[in-house]
Amino acid sequence: MPQRRALRFEVFGTVQGVGFRPFVYRLATGLGLDGWAANAEGHVAGEVAGSPYAVDEFTARLSTGAPALSQVRQVRVTAARGQLPLPASGFAIRHSDADHATARGPREIPPDAAICAACLSELLDPTDRRFRYPFINCTDCGPRATIIEDLPYDRVRTTMRRFPLCAACAAEYGDPADRRFHAEPLACPACGPQLSWDALSGEAALRAAVKAVESGGIVALKGLGGYQLVCDATDQTAVRALREHKHRPAKPLAVMVQDVGGVRELARMSRVERGVLESASRPVVLLAARGSGLAPAVHPGTRRIGLFLPTTGLHHLLLRELARPLVVTSGNLADEPIATGDTEARHSLDAVADGFLTHDRPIRARYDDSVVQAVGRTVLTVRRARGLAPAPLPLPVATPVPLVAVGAQLKHTFTLADGYGAHLSPHGGDLADAATLDGFMHAYDHLVRLTGIAPRAVAHDLHPGYLSTQWAQAQPLPRIPVQHHHAHVAACAAEHGLRTPFVGVAYDGLGLGDDGTLWGGEILVADLTGYRRVGRFATAPLPGGEAAVRHPYRMALGYLHGTELLGSPRPYPWLTRGFNERLDPSEAAVLRSMVGRGVNSPRASSAGRLFDAVASLLGLADTVSYEGEAAAALEEAAGTVRALPLAHRLVRVDGLWVYDPGPTLNDLLERQHVGEGVPALAAAFHLTLALVTAELVAHAVDAGAPRTVCLAGGCFVNRRLLTEVSRRLRAQGLRVLVAREVPVGDGGISYGQAAVAAARLSKE
């Protein structure tokens, strides 16, 4: 009898819900091996037996030939146990069973994947039995994270369990040669979910939705991770109505188009950007808009537009029927969680939508659309959600105990970490009230159950007013406070695997410093366990506190009348005439008095608030509807204009290098007074901040700081600032890093907190 060898294998990583067991089946049978495979506690386990050569080849190919949607992180091979697979018994996929595991490993949840080319071809093929079936999918695409209720990943533990397979689908599910072999979301018109519009179903429901959009209406559509609001992106009246009902007056709206040809009609697109648009994650990609036929209200005040391609069969059908670009935005009112349940959606969106195109497949987890942008050949994540989350990210230093990092307040996320792995939750919006806190807690409970991570420590921001901090303080767990800007730069460092010290540049809106004051323009020398502040922006008052964030003219008054250092602006009437004429005289007098007496005017060293002040002084934004709107207007005004820098100076204060914006604002006002245009002045301000940053970092390096620099904070969503700063730092021979998979803004805070907490716990 020929020599025979048997072994047991366990494969860890993103290997459930991505066609990995069918891949293992085809690999084993192709090599003539006997045995079995099954999902087991978040990974794939099994046994094989056959010739030594075939067994060795099998183990080698487990990681090298895995399906595109999978991520193999570890292959563990041990001796087979119990009764070995008999010769010529064949290979089988067994029902999943947690008992198949020899040891508990990390559990990874696959993100949703956009419809693949093969399924799209069937969707549009009149001879195919899934012709025009909106919920078509296979092992290479379809819902994953949004339908999983528990692991191991099998249909009975997804929201698809209520749809028994028909005979035809069951045959595909059991056929190793079929693309739908063990595809858990498998469905067809005979046995799967169905569309509905009031009393209408199927094609009639779809036609009703199409008619509503054609008539200028707004449709609430049940998507993968929640409801979406859809209208004609070329209809100014419809888009304005959507903005009014959704309470979103200015923030740009995402637009979905049928294909890359539709993208080219609306925007300029690089090869890198096209690759991201067509990827399985299908994020919204921020692109440079052409002079297009879109309604002006889609992206007012900016030449950048968020475009994305269809993610599901339903989106493809809508776009083909309507033959026009569609606004497809989150199904919620401003500052509320996205609606996922049908009753919830009808309650919250009834005043917005003219009709509901829904279906009977429940959404188990809330996922908004991801947003990315390309800066040169680098793709940066602005919002990590559908298609990207909750795929795990590595930690440079393993946490010795499972932990949760609860993030900050704006653009909220949380992170679960165990060992070297961190699961960053999808974007949850601003954690500002009971509704969003409830959404966070539901998402937390669900991700804890799926990952199997039971936290034994909690990391949180220093700010006591954040709901995330208050939630952390209420937990019966050891707490690890992490300063806001340390978390920002640590997120960048951790993504790049840094374990050694670095210089961190953290520019954002506001974060509580370890001295109890508000920070936001910081130069830190840090590692993952700690930091020291070596540079900062000078402080300025925020007249009225949080009201100054919503009203940039208040920040302008704060800088004009209360900047920290001697170089403060001289508010000569002829320099500020245009600015003062826009203000209510009595209110301006009250605000100046507040600043002068230090009443309700907390001080902040914030780069983001300086952007607000300059935007207001240039007449670009006096009042805003969302955080970052003024800075976006300033970036838009600068465009690609070349300009000379504004005056600036650095001074030493209490051992720190401090940027005094006084000379910068004086110069800006004087150049404005003599007639220099807004675009040139906006460009000059960006250039000046880049020069200031390079000088602050140079002082730190001259004093012995490392030559690796991590850029972080929401200000670096600004492409011009990021490009200008990076160029000047690299010109000094420095290594410059920016986060890519982790959001550079507050959406990455929780990951940074997790990295810091892991390093501190490991050190202790």
Side-chain angles (χ1 to χ4, degrees):
M1 184 175 180
Q3 185 181 6
R4 187 171 170 82
R5 183 179 169 201
L7 59 80
R8 179 178 179 80
F9 65 90
E10 291 180 291
V11 186
F12 297 89
T14 305
V15 292
Q16 293 194 17
V18 292
F20 200 85
R21 287 175 303 164
F23 157 71
V24 172
Y25 177 94
R26 288 188 285 269
L27 176 60
T29 54
L31 292 169
L33 295 171
D34 304 307
W36 56 271
N39 283 336
E41 271 300 301
H43 61 282
V44 170
E47 293 181 349
V48 290
S51 73
Y53 166 81
V55 170
D56 289 342
E57 190 71 10
F58 174 83
T59 55
R61 292 193 204 171
L62 276 178
S63 55
T64 59
L69 296 180
S70 66
Q71 288 286 337
V72 176
R73 306 190 192 282
Q74 180 186 10
V75 177
R76 187 181 301 167
V77 177
T78 55
R81 63 188 185 186
Q83 184 176 357
L84 302 181
L86 297 174
S89 60
F91 195 90
I93 292 181
R94 292 183 179 176
H95 290 296
S96 300
D97 185 347
D99 292 338
H100 287 149
T102 56
R104 179 66 178 272
R107 302 171 67 176
E108 299 185 9
I109 300 89
D112 290 2
I115 183 172
C116 67
C119 282
L120 178 59
S121 177
E122 292 174 347
L123 178 76
L124 305 178
D125 181 0
T127 66
D128 193 276
R129 71 187 189 91
R130 290 187 176 86
F131 176 55
R132 294 182 62 81
Y133 181 58
F135 308 100
I136 188 171
N137 67 83
C138 69
T139 53
D140 295 328
C141 68
R144 298 295 192 271
T146 52
I147 64 169
I148 295 174
E149 295 184 327
D150 205 352
L151 294 178
Y153 176 66
D154 285 298
R155 193 179 183 91
V156 295
R157 283 178 285 272
T158 74
T159 60
M160 290 299 294
R161 71 181 187 279
R162 65 200 66 206
F163 301 100
L165 294 175
C166 66
C169 284
E172 293 172 332
Y173 184 87
D175 181 359
D178 196 280
R179 198 174 80 254
R180 295 186 170 88
F181 183 44
H182 278 266
E184 308 304 346
L186 177 59
C188 79
C191 64
Q194 299 295 320
L195 287 179
S196 63
W197 175 283
D198 294 331
L200 303 175
S201 63
E203 285 287 345
L206 181 64
R207 285 195 297 272
V210 168
K211 184 177 179 181
V213 174
E214 286 177 333
S215 302
I218 300 166
V219 169
L221 178 147
K222 190 175 184 180
L224 283 175
Y227 273 79
Q228 298 171 312
L229 293 170
V230 178
C231 73
D232 182 350
T234 67
D235 186 332
Q236 177 77 343
T237 302
V239 177
R240 280 181 171 171
L242 175 60
R243 286 196 175 280
E244 179 182 353
H245 295 316
K246 188 175 162 67
H247 311 307
R248 184 172 170 173
K251 195 171 186 179
L253 298 165
V255 173
M256 183 179 283
V257 294
Q258 181 174 315
D259 50 33
V260 292
V263 174
R264 288 195 187 95
E265 291 179 5
L266 301 177
R268 292 189 292 275
M269 172 181 58
S270 69
R271 184 179 302 175
V272 169
E273 289 164 335
R274 175 172 179 167
V276 180
L277 281 162
E278 295 183 313
S279 68
S281 56
R282 287 291 199 282
V284 176
V285 182
L286 303 180
L287 300 171
R290 298 182 189 274
S292 66
L294 293 181
V298 170
H299 55 115
T302 176
R303 291 186 293 270
R304 294 189 67 74
I305 181 173
L307 295 176
F308 63 138
L309 298 178
T311 58
T312 68
L314 178 55
H315 289 126
H316 273 285
L317 293 175
L318 272 176
L319 284 159
R320 278 168 166 73
E321 290 294 315
L322 288 161
R324 69 197 76 182
L326 301 176
V327 168
V328 180
T329 189
S330 308
N332 61 348
L333 303 183
D335 301 324
E336 291 184 1
I338 302 169
T340 56
D342 300 337
T343 302
E344 169 197 5
R346 290 188 179 274
H347 173 75
S348 63
L349 302 178
D350 187 62
V352 183
D354 297 295
F356 289 76
L357 183 59
T358 185
H359 57 77
D360 52 349
R361 182 180 68 204
I363 297 171
R364 183 59 187 86
R366 180 180 286 112
Y367 279 76
D368 205 340
D369 293 314
S370 293
V371 180
V372 305
Q373 66 176 353
V375 181
R377 289 176 291 181
T378 301
V379 178
L380 307 179
T381 302
V382 178
R383 185 168 75 193
R384 183 179 170 91
R386 176 198 50 76
L388 299 176
L393 298 163
L395 290 176
V397 179
T399 175
V401 299
L403 64 87
V404 58
V406 295
Q409 187 96 329
L410 301 179
K411 304 172 182 64
H412 182 257
T413 64
F414 65 90
T415 294
L416 293 172
D418 191 8
Y420 284 101
H423 299 258
L424 180 59
S425 76
H427 167 83
D430 294 347
L431 195 60
D433 54 28
T436 51
L437 179 62
D438 184 65
F440 152 59
M441 290 189 294
H442 277 87
Y444 170 74
D445 290 341
H446 183 59
L447 199 57
V448 164
R449 181 169 60 254
L450 290 186
T451 61
I453 296 174
R456 290 165 49 195
V458 55
H460 61 84
D461 196 271
L462 301 184
H463 201 302
Y466 288 173
L467 294 182
S468 56
T469 302
Q470 294 170 12
W471 183 88
Q473 291 172 337
Q475 304 309 303
L477 299 171
R479 296 191 298 275
I480 305 166
V482 181
Q483 198 277 326
H484 189 91
H485 302 95
H486 185 209
H488 264 312
V489 297
C492 175
E495 181 185 318
H496 288 278
L498 284 184
R499 302 180 63 170
T500 53
F502 57 91
V503 175
V505 179
Y507 290 171
D508 69 353
L510 297 170
L512 188 64
D514 56 24
D515 59 0
T517 67
L518 296 171
W519 294 5
E522 313 305 321
I523 309 297
L524 310 175
V525 174
D527 61 16
L528 294 179
T529 60
Y531 70 95
R532 58 187 173 91
R533 197 183 190 196
V534 297
R536 63 175 175 86
F537 283 26
T539 63
L542 281 68
E546 287 189 8
V549 179
R550 298 188 299 273
H551 303 288
Y553 70 85
R554 291 184 175 228
M555 283 311 311
L557 280 171
Y559 274 97
L560 290 174
H561 298 282
T563 309
E564 173 186 357
L565 301 173
L566 294 177
S568 297
R570 299 159 293 182
Y572 298 147
W574 60 86
L575 292 183
T576 57
R577 181 178 298 127
F579 170 69
N580 288 324
E581 287 173 352
R582 301 199 307 271
L583 306 182
D584 177 84
S586 59
E587 182 189 15
V590 170
L591 292 172
R592 284 192 291 267
S593 175
M594 290 169 60
V595 169
R597 294 184 293 119
V599 175
N600 193 21
S601 298
R603 304 186 71 87
S605 58
S606 169
R609 299 290 77 86
L610 180 58
F611 266 94
D612 289 353
V614 172
S616 181
L617 289 173
L618 293 180
L620 297 171
D622 286 336
T623 297
V624 297
S625 60
Y626 66 93
E627 203 265 346
E629 181 179 349
L634 196 61
E635 180 187 7
E636 177 66 24
T640 58
V641 174
R642 294 190 176 189
L644 295 174
L646 298 162
H648 64 279
R649 72 164 184 161
L650 304 184
V651 298
R652 291 285 280 178
V653 179
D654 297 330
L656 303 181
W657 284 103
V658 177
Y659 163 51
D660 176 12
T664 300
L665 297 182
N666 272 330
D667 197 15
L668 179 121
L669 290 169
E670 290 173 359
R671 286 164 61 169
Q672 183 183 39
H673 179 67
V674 298
E676 190 164 347
V678 169
L681 291 173
F685 176 71
H686 282 80
L687 174 58
T688 303
L689 284 198
L691 294 172
V692 165
T693 305
E695 291 180 25
L696 287 169
V697 171
H699 281 302
V701 172
D702 288 345
R707 300 185 65 81
T708 295
V709 184
C710 292
L711 306 179
C715 288
F716 286 111
V717 172
N718 182 317
R719 299 170 76 254
R720 175 142 190 178
L721 180 67
L722 176 61
T723 301
E724 298 270 19
V725 168
S726 299
R727 180 183 300 131
R728 279 155 184 81
L729 292 176
R730 290 190 178 107
Q732 296 176 10
L734 303 177
R735 179 190 182 198
V736 181
L737 303 176
V738 63
R740 299 182 182 186
E741 295 186 60
V742 177
V744 70
D746 278 12
I749 284 283
S750 67
Y751 174 68
Q753 291 171 342
V756 170
R760 289 181 183 171
L761 289 169
S762 177
K763 187 175 181 180
E764 292 171 3

